[in-house]
Amino acid sequence: GASHASHSLLTDPENFVQVESGLTFVGMVGMIDPPRPEAKEAITACRNAGINVIMITGDSKATAEAIGRKLGILASGENLKRKSFTGKEFDDLPDAEKSKVLEGIMAERDVEGAVFSRTEPKHKQAIVRCLKSLGEIVAMTGDGVNDAPALKQADIGIAMGIAGTEVAKQASDMVLADDNFASIAAAVEEGRSIYNNMK
């Protein structure tokens, strides 16, 4: 605050060169928001049930790919040209090529999913629209205002109940009370069991 002895020195932009000279680099701090431990197992359960998990995130491509491999969404780093796109890379493809890319991803649903990084709301909508045009039943999860259009467009929009905004919750068909992907896998398993018992 203003009472600090160096306040006037630090608030005048003309002093920045003087203040930022002669410094010693002491270290760097990194932070990670790690996936929940049960998420990898839930993704494997989805794959075994014929459900393809595609991660759509605003994170950088390198971060998204690393998380995708850690969770088992991506099996390896070998297929990244066919399984990892930024929103802009996907958006720049002609419509026929977008469909071809997603067809390829869905054809290998028993092996691995895909990752879309640095996405904007329009990219999420384009991915959902394209998957639906291929005859896929699309469930979309999200928590922010920017997710609402894609949540609304998906066959099943799933909002986060704890971290989710009211806009995302209103746009969704279902609200996940515990914000846990594993709950979705468990719900699918339970739903299929009920359906099979009713046959």
Side-chain angles (χ1 to χ4, degrees):
S3 61
H4 190 273
S6 297
H7 180 76
S8 60
L9 179 69
L10 296 173
T11 55
D12 184 357
E14 291 187 19
N15 294 327
F16 286 177
V17 173
Q18 176 190 348
V19 171
E20 294 176 354
S21 298
L23 300 176
T24 303
F25 181 75
V26 178
M28 183 176 6
V29 175
M31 290 175 41
I32 185 171
D33 183 10
R36 292 185 181 191
E38 63 274 15
K40 184 173 183 174
E41 187 179 317
I43 289 166
T44 301
C46 285
R47 181 169 297 116
N48 293 338
I51 300 168
N52 195 359
V53 178
I54 297 174
M55 181 171 71
I56 305 174
T57 179
D59 286 337
S60 72
K61 191 170 188 176
T63 300
E65 289 171 354
I67 292 169
R69 282 195 296 271
K70 184 173 186 171
L71 289 172
I73 295 171
L74 298 173
S76 70
E78 295 173 16
N79 297 324
L80 294 182
K81 287 189 177 185
R82 296 183 299 114
K83 301 292 182 110
S84 176
F85 299 86
T86 64
K88 183 173 180 356
E89 289 169 348
F90 187 73
D91 196 39
D92 288 346
L93 295 174
D95 287 345
E97 189 65 24
K98 288 176 187 170
S99 292
K100 190 176 174 184
V101 164
L102 288 172
E103 281 176 346
I105 289 168
M106 298 311 291
E108 296 181 0
R109 71 177 83 213
D110 59 329
V111 179
E112 65 182 343
V115 170
F116 291 87
S117 54
R118 286 287 186 232
T119 56
E120 299 171 16
K122 67 178 182 176
H123 302 138
K124 296 173 186 180
Q125 285 183 279
I127 294 165
V128 170
R129 188 180 321 107
C130 193
L131 285 168
K132 287 178 74 172
S133 75
L134 296 173
E136 299 291 341
I137 297 172
V138 181
M140 171 80 181
T141 63
D143 60 4
V145 172
N146 64 336
D147 296 318
L151 289 168
K152 192 75 172 166
Q153 188 176 32
D155 294 301
I156 306 163
I158 306 168
M160 301 296 119
I162 299 169
T165 62
E166 283 305 312
V167 173
K169 291 175 190 176
Q170 291 298 318
S172 296
D173 302 295
M174 182 168 67
V175 177
L176 202 58
D178 62 359
D179 289 8
N180 193 334
F181 183 82
S183 296
I184 298 171
V188 169
E189 184 179 358
E190 187 69 27
R192 286 182 175 180
S193 176
I194 292 167
Y195 178 77
N196 287 334
N197 288 338
M198 290 173 58
K199 282 185 177 180

